[in-house]
Amino acid sequence: FEVFHHFYRVRKDITDLLLRDFGYSEKKARQHLEKMFGGKTYHELDETERLHYEKRKKRTESFEKWFIVDQRKSVMNCLRDIQENVAVANSIYPSCPEELVERRIHQDKAVGHCYRLLQELQYAIETLPVDIKAYLRFAEGIERQISLIKGWRKADNKFRRAFSDSATNFANVNNNGNANNNNASNSNGVRPDFDTAIK
């Protein structure tokens, strides 16, 4: 089942990214901060430069203290929600229209969480000083996952047609215009109560 296999690959790759703090490097961030001020030490900066340096330093420290941790939780929640809804949808083998609707709901939720995951990763790369190009493969993987779920959802139309055919065959109408209620009054079916409807 490609929907599952592909998702496991995507989840493994993104988990590895989270273990590497989204590709954020504390050392590189500090080197970048020093370059912004021409390699000067803090004591060589004037008052205006020091204020600017402190703001940039505080922002860099925030990445390490809480932003990465918080963003990692958000991404993990997205991954768990996708897996949960894909698993629940796959556990429902529709035997009636209501079950088909329930399965569709979980497929839709899985797609929604995939888009949410894309947004969380997009926010991370826009906020953190990381290589944006390195994120392209993750975006492509998630887009592929969305396509697979949508394809699976579309394939479920066979259930919809089967239910529709079953309902149509309840009362057969011949090509000459004659109608009958084959099997409607025996144990194979239920006879419609037309008299009550007329009243």
Side-chain angles (χ1 to χ4, degrees):
F1 189 23
E2 195 175 358
V3 172
F4 278 107
H5 294 319
H6 182 76
F7 176 71
Y8 290 143
R9 288 196 297 270
V10 170
R11 183 169 186 175
K12 183 177 180 295
D13 288 344
I14 293 179
T15 299
D16 181 62
L17 176 69
L18 300 182
L19 292 172
R20 294 185 288 107
D21 294 337
F22 296 93
Y24 172 78
S25 169
E26 178 183 343
K27 181 180 179 181
K28 288 182 179 179
R30 290 180 179 173
Q31 288 175 344
H32 178 70
L33 183 60
E34 291 174 0
K35 287 182 180 179
M36 288 180 64
F37 298 93
K40 296 179 183 178
T41 63
Y42 180 77
H43 299 290
E44 294 174 328
L45 303 176
D46 59 36
E47 187 176 349
T48 303
E49 289 175 328
R50 286 184 181 184
L51 288 173
H52 185 51
Y53 180 90
E54 289 293 341
K55 287 181 181 179
R56 298 292 302 186
K57 184 180 178 182
K58 187 176 181 180
R59 185 170 185 267
T60 300
E61 290 174 348
S62 295
F63 292 150
E64 303 159 18
K65 288 180 180 178
W66 67 269
F67 181 82
I68 292 174
V69 174
D70 186 69
Q71 197 63 17
R72 186 186 292 122
K73 289 179 182 177
S74 296
V75 171
M76 285 303 298
N77 285 336
C78 290
L79 290 168
R80 290 189 182 109
D81 288 338
I82 295 168
Q83 181 170 349
E84 177 184 350
N85 282 285
V86 167
V88 172
N90 190 54
S91 71
I92 301 172
Y93 190 83
S95 59
C96 63
E98 290 77 14
E99 290 179 339
L100 182 61
V101 170
E102 183 68 19
R103 177 157 148 144
R104 175 64 179 257
I105 288 172
H106 287 289
Q107 290 169 332
D108 288 345
K109 285 183 177 179
V111 171
H113 290 305
C114 284
Y115 282 117
R116 183 174 139 230
L117 177 59
L118 274 174
Q119 292 298 318
E120 290 294 343
L121 289 177
Q122 179 68 27
Y123 179 61
I125 65 174
E126 288 179 356
T127 307
L128 292 168
V130 294
D131 182 11
I132 296 177
K133 292 181 180 179
Y135 279 73
L136 292 177
R137 68 187 186 92
F138 298 108
E140 290 171 356
I142 298 168
E143 290 285 358
R144 172 66 177 156
Q145 185 66 40
I146 292 171
S147 296
L148 288 171
I149 297 173
K150 286 183 176 180
W152 173 31
R153 191 174 62 184
K154 186 177 180 180
D156 277 357
N157 287 334
K158 65 181 183 291
F159 290 109
R160 189 171 287 103
R161 286 192 295 271
F163 297 141
S164 177
D165 291 344
S166 177
T168 302
N169 289 333
F170 180 83
N172 293 330
V173 178
N174 300 323
N175 58 7
N176 61 6
N178 295 329
N180 61 60
N181 58 348
N182 291 345
N183 297 322
S185 60
N186 59 29
S187 60
N188 292 328
V190 178
R191 183 180 65 227
D193 185 2
F194 295 111
D195 292 335
T196 301
I198 294 172
K199 292 176 184 178

